[in-house]
Amino acid sequence: MKKRILPGLFFLILLLSACASSGNRQVYSDRELAGVRLTITHTENGVLYYKLETSESAGPLTTGNGQDAILERWEGNEWRQMPQKDDFAWTMEAYGVSPQNPWEGSLSMERKYGNLRSGRYRLIKQFTAAGGKYSAKAGFDRE
């Protein structure tokens, strides 16, 4: 019994230390997949609404709920990931996306990041398709 617990405990400690070392930033794939499109549909009361669509050529996708999306802000000459609030947590459901069934999600910007300043931002949404992990990006301005 102890022989099974020790490797599991070691793996858990390793996993938690990896999460702690990344701070409050999320890691995502920067690979894009042709035929996948992310569109910002609107914002309302600090919530960003978007749609993730795939074409027949890209095939079916799998994605999580909106809270696994990442927000970046244009700072001078580069995109910088917004640090999320320390106490932010979410559940991670998986959803299928097909050409006939796009994913419409939302991201509570204020709940995840706090009060955002005016500026140029982009949403990065990760998904899985044949061949691995990818991401799609869509920009927007916040006034």
Side-chain angles (χ1 to χ4, degrees):
M1 181 74 165
K2 287 184 181 180
K3 289 181 181 181
R4 290 185 191 163
I5 293 174
L6 288 177
L9 185 58
F10 176 75
F11 177 74
L12 180 61
I13 291 169
L14 184 64
L15 181 64
L16 290 173
S17 67
C19 291
S21 67
S22 67
N24 59 3
R25 305 222 188 266
Q26 290 176 258
V27 178
Y28 64 92
S29 171
D30 61 353
R31 291 175 37 194
E32 294 185 26
L33 182 62
V36 175
R37 183 173 66 173
L38 181 65
T39 308
I40 305 296
T41 56
H42 68 285
T43 59
E44 183 179 316
N45 299 324
V47 179
L48 181 69
Y49 295 89
Y50 62 88
K51 182 188 275 189
L52 182 65
E53 300 172 280
T54 184
S55 66
E56 290 290 339
S57 63
L61 316 175
T62 303
T63 193
N65 61 17
Q67 302 307 327
D68 74 337
I70 299 166
L71 206 57
E72 291 185 331
R73 185 175 195 279
W74 183 253
E75 297 282 346
N77 61 352
E78 68 180 346
W79 289 105
R80 291 197 181 173
Q81 190 176 142
M82 298 294 301
Q84 71 183 31
K85 293 164 76 176
D86 289 334
D87 61 348
F88 183 78
W90 69 91
T91 60
M92 190 63 183
E93 296 87 3
Y95 299 95
V97 182
S98 67
Q100 302 79 22
N101 188 28
W103 167 250
E104 294 189 45
S106 63
L107 171 66
S108 177
M109 298 181 294
E110 291 182 7
R111 192 171 135 235
K112 185 172 183 177
Y113 298 106
N115 196 9
L116 299 178
R117 303 181 312 203
S118 297
R120 187 171 157 205
Y121 291 86
R122 74 177 176 182
L123 175 69
I124 301 175
K125 181 72 174 124
Q126 186 162 284
F127 60 90
T128 304
K133 292 184 178 181
Y134 300 88
S135 64
K137 300 171 182 142
F140 66 98
D141 292 318
R142 182 157 173 100
E143 297 181 21

